[in-house]
Amino acid sequence: MIENKIILSPSLLSSDFGRLAEELAALEEAGLEWVHWDVMDGRFVPNITFGPPVVKALRKHSKLFFDVHLMIQEPDRYLAEFIDAGADLLCVHAEAVTHLERCVAEIRRLGAQCAVALNPHTPLCMLEHLLPELDMVLIMSVNPGFGGQSFLPFTKDKIRRLAQMIQESGSNARIQVDGGVSPENIKELADLGATIFVSGSAFFGHPPYAERLATFMTAASIA
């Protein structure tokens, strides 16, 4: 189970791909605990990014919690590969899985924490029955596939309603938000019930990383 606190999970999609090992080391040195891997296959989303060999190669260089977001079709085919490569948590898209409950159960069986992601226009009812089985739900607040997009305001109500559903179900699932998260909106999103935040260009574009982490955390804790 994920500890209940505010977590920033910087997205490597906005990092320097030519220096990934150095980027991971810099995140650790700056005090980060998580890092977000946006895995794209060119089918579910237009871009292509990382595969299991890249995750495996970098795992030996980092003690960070590997938060692996599978933006791919038929993720069921690759669960074992990503977990063997070093993923601590696997997040699959409800829209990309035919048998979602079976997929979640397999992630659990393989020993990783499990999460389900929903695109901005995907209704919450897609995973309501699964909430007790999940460690995390990822609300996409942009359409997936590209970094640097602006936050979609209508997803705020979705976060609020999900937090209520989780409480009513007795689930321990945490809410992660991915897309357009910045120091300017993180407090509002935290107040709605989210506790894990993915940030790409709004984080990596503002070094040094320790100072940027402090900026996010200070913003999230403003009374």
Side-chain angles (χ1 to χ4, degrees), residues 14 20 49 53 70 73 98 118 120 127 152 155 169 204:
S14 296
L20 284 177
T49 55
L70 299 181
Q73 292 286 9
T98 302
L118 298 178
L127 52 68
L152 294 172
T155 59
S169 72
F204 281 102

Side-chain angles (χ1 to χ4, degrees), residues 141-159:
S141 45
V142 298
N143 289 298
F146 298 94
Q149 299 183 67
S150 297
F151 184 92
L152 294 172
F154 72 83
T155 59
K156 293 178 186 177
D157 184 59
K158 195 172 183 180
I159 296 166

Side-chain angles (χ1 to χ4, degrees), residues 85 88 93 107 170-171 196 205 220-221:
D88 294 296
H93 269 263
I107 294 172
S171 169
I196 305 173
S221 64

